Amino acid sequence: MMRAVRDWGWETAVFRGATGICLLHALDDAFVNRQPGVDLDQHALAAALSLVLGVGAIVAFPRLRPGVRAAVSLGFGVLATVNGALHFRHVTVDAPAASDYTGVVALLAGIALIGLGVAIPILHRGEGAATGARRWANRAVAVVGSVLVAYVLVLPTSGALVVTHKHREPIGDPPDAAYEPIVFESSDGLELAGWYRPSENRAAVLIVHGGGGDRNGTVRHAELLARHGYGVLVYDARGRGESEGSPVAFGWNWSKDVAGALAFLRGRPELDPERLGGLGLSTGADVLIEVAAEDRGLRAVVSDGATAGSFADYRNLEGLDEAAPFYLTLYTAARVLSGASPGRPLKELVGKVSPTPLLLVSTGGSIAAEIDFNRIYAEAAREPTELWELPEVDHTAAIRQRPGEYERRVVGFFDDALLRP
């Protein structure tokens, strides 16, 4: 290490060492200690891009101007810190996974890169500028450029890391003895885990959780439906909880999980396969709209909190011009990092849900655009579709903040669609 410092200078030595550690973690996460059920090539593109950018930066670093060196170091440092922090968080809530070890080291390397990025402008202040006016002009350009790069590249890519790398959380025990721990396969062969509570009325509802959650986030809804005699199936989507696969909080490929869940329900002898419904929360709502447009096995769908599953969905909102670069990078980076792709835009799909009854539950307390999204979907949908707007209620929180009304609307909707001739 001391020889590297002498030969390269301490700034280059720190950058190359820290970046090398981050690349080691990228390879570990993509190939060596990948998630259960993840194919060897699923994250190959992300690993290849990391290597190209990382090695390119390592080679070019000492030749760059101080301001550029600082920007590169800060950008790499933020991304490594976000990624490493997710692994560190997993260690604090559960037993460490194999890739957590290099992930935590990458967190330390990311912090070092951020420190280096802050130190470089201080240490090289005023270098290469002949006059004070030129120095201030350089600083102004650097500030504006840094803000643009952060907004268009670093921040959305960091968000994509969270979307595609969120750690699993412990699941714990079922709510009570009436729930059976079950395992079933997605249509593409992943092993998914969940709980099933048998039906008392020959009907059942499949509940799909939100993008950052797991089956624990659906228990309140399951209990509500079970009180009215419905069978309920709650499960962890791919890459979440105890299910195989790699996580994508946008719900890409979750339709294959739903297909496996419906196959499980159709095989239950106490159920009438003509009386199967679905209730989706947030990302789960997006996914059930996608599934219901193609699979008539769902006889009724409650979409609670649908928003957007792709950049194409966001483009349907008015006034998005300023935010478009951010969201374009976010969804593009998520595709690269996950190895998955979004389905068709929800506005195109929702019109194909009919004749399946659809209830759109739309809140505005925490995601203002949710109301706008659901008005777009309600307008594009065909009968029978209901739009229930709750502007003061938080995202997917109607069951807590309006419990009586939520029970009447949701249970009444399923009763009409699944129980009555």
Side-chain angles (χ1 to χ4, degrees):
M1 181 62 184
M2 294 304 299
R3 181 177 178 180
V5 172
R6 288 196 304 269
D7 293 344
W8 300 336
W10 75 269
E11 293 174 14
T12 299
V14 170
F15 180 82
R16 287 177 170 174
T19 302
I21 290 172
C22 296
L23 292 178
L24 176 66
H25 169 65
L27 295 175
D28 180 34
D29 210 24
F31 301 122
V32 181
N33 289 304
R34 60 190 186 277
Q35 296 282 329
V38 174
D39 292 334
L40 188 63
D41 62 346
Q42 182 169 338
H43 300 301
L45 177 58
L49 284 176
S50 297
L51 278 175
V52 169
L53 294 174
V55 172
I58 285 173
V59 172
F61 188 82
R63 301 179 180 87
L64 302 175
R65 292 178 60 84
V68 179
R69 292 204 302 272
V72 170
S73 187
L74 281 170
F76 279 30
V78 169
L79 296 178
T81 300
V82 170
N83 193 357
L86 293 169
H87 287 276
F88 179 78
R89 175 61 178 160
H90 182 241
V91 172
T92 66
V93 301
D94 200 1
S99 62
D100 286 338
Y101 296 104
T102 57
V104 171
V105 178
L107 169 61
L108 300 177
I111 294 172
L113 286 170
I114 291 174
L116 178 63
V118 171
I120 288 174
I122 298 173
L123 296 173
H124 296 273
R125 183 178 180 182
E127 286 185 8
T131 65
R134 180 64 180 271
R135 286 197 295 271
W136 281 107
N138 289 345
R139 290 166 189 165
V141 170
V143 169
V144 173
S146 297
V147 170
L148 289 175
V149 170
Y151 179 72
V152 175
L153 184 61
V154 177
L155 292 179
T157 303
S158 298
L161 281 168
V162 175
V163 165
T164 59
H165 287 75
K166 185 175 180 182
H167 59 82
R168 302 168 185 262
E169 297 177 352
I171 294 301
D173 297 325
D176 58 54
Y179 289 82
E180 305 170 6
I182 55 104
V183 174
F184 62 91
E185 280 195 358
S186 66
S187 63
D188 58 348
L190 293 179
E191 190 174 276
L192 309 178
W195 298 318
Y196 173 69
R197 178 166 178 154
S199 175
E200 299 172 3
N201 60 11
R202 300 277 291 159
V205 177
L206 165 66
I207 307 178
V208 185
H209 62 72
D214 50 44
R215 76 183 96 157
N216 285 322
T218 62
V219 168
R220 190 187 295 264
H221 297 79
E223 292 286 84
L224 167 64
L225 293 164
R227 288 199 302 270
H228 292 269
Y230 287 94
V232 288
L233 171 59
V234 299
Y235 68 97
D236 305 320
R238 59 185 59 209
R240 305 297 302 137
E242 297 173 345
S243 291
E244 291 184 340
S246 183
V248 187
F250 292 137
W252 300 343
N253 287 336
W254 283 20
S255 59
K256 299 174 182 178
D257 302 349
V258 174
L262 288 174
F264 170 86
L265 291 174
R266 293 185 187 111
R268 296 292 301 194
E270 78 279 9
L271 294 178
D272 179 349
E274 301 298 314
R275 296 183 178 183
L276 303 181
L279 190 161
L281 304 172
S282 190
T283 297
D286 302 342
V287 172
L288 285 187
I289 291 174
E290 179 183 352
V291 171
E294 305 291 341
D295 191 337
R296 298 303 169 202
L298 280 173
R299 299 294 178 166
V301 172
V302 174
S303 164
D304 186 346
T307 51
S310 67
F311 181 67
D313 290 325
Y314 267 101
R315 288 177 63 186
N316 289 319
L317 287 181
E318 294 182 2
L320 186 67
D321 293 345
E322 296 82 0
F326 178 95
Y327 285 109
L328 179 60
T329 302
L330 173 67
Y331 284 107
T332 302
R335 294 181 70 164
V336 172
L337 292 168
S338 68
S341 299
R344 292 165 57 193
L346 294 180
K347 183 179 178 181
E348 294 181 13
L349 294 172
V350 72
K352 298 184 177 182
V353 173
S354 177
T356 302
L358 173 64
L359 173 60
L360 297 168
V361 183
S362 176
T363 63
S366 51
I367 302 179
E370 184 180 327
I371 295 284
D372 297 324
F373 276 121
N374 281 274
R375 288 177 178 172
I376 291 170
Y377 303 147
E379 184 177 350
R382 294 183 293 163
E383 295 295 335
T385 298
E386 302 175 43
L387 174 60
W388 180 26
E389 292 187 350
L390 297 162
E392 305 303 321
V393 174
D394 292 330
H395 184 57
T396 70
I399 194 171
R400 300 190 305 273
Q401 297 175 9
R402 299 281 185 85
E405 192 175 0
Y406 192 86
E407 182 168 4
R408 288 192 298 273
R409 291 291 294 261
V410 171
V411 174
F413 173 82
F414 281 127
D415 285 351
D416 288 342
L418 302 179
L419 300 184
R420 298 190 177 102

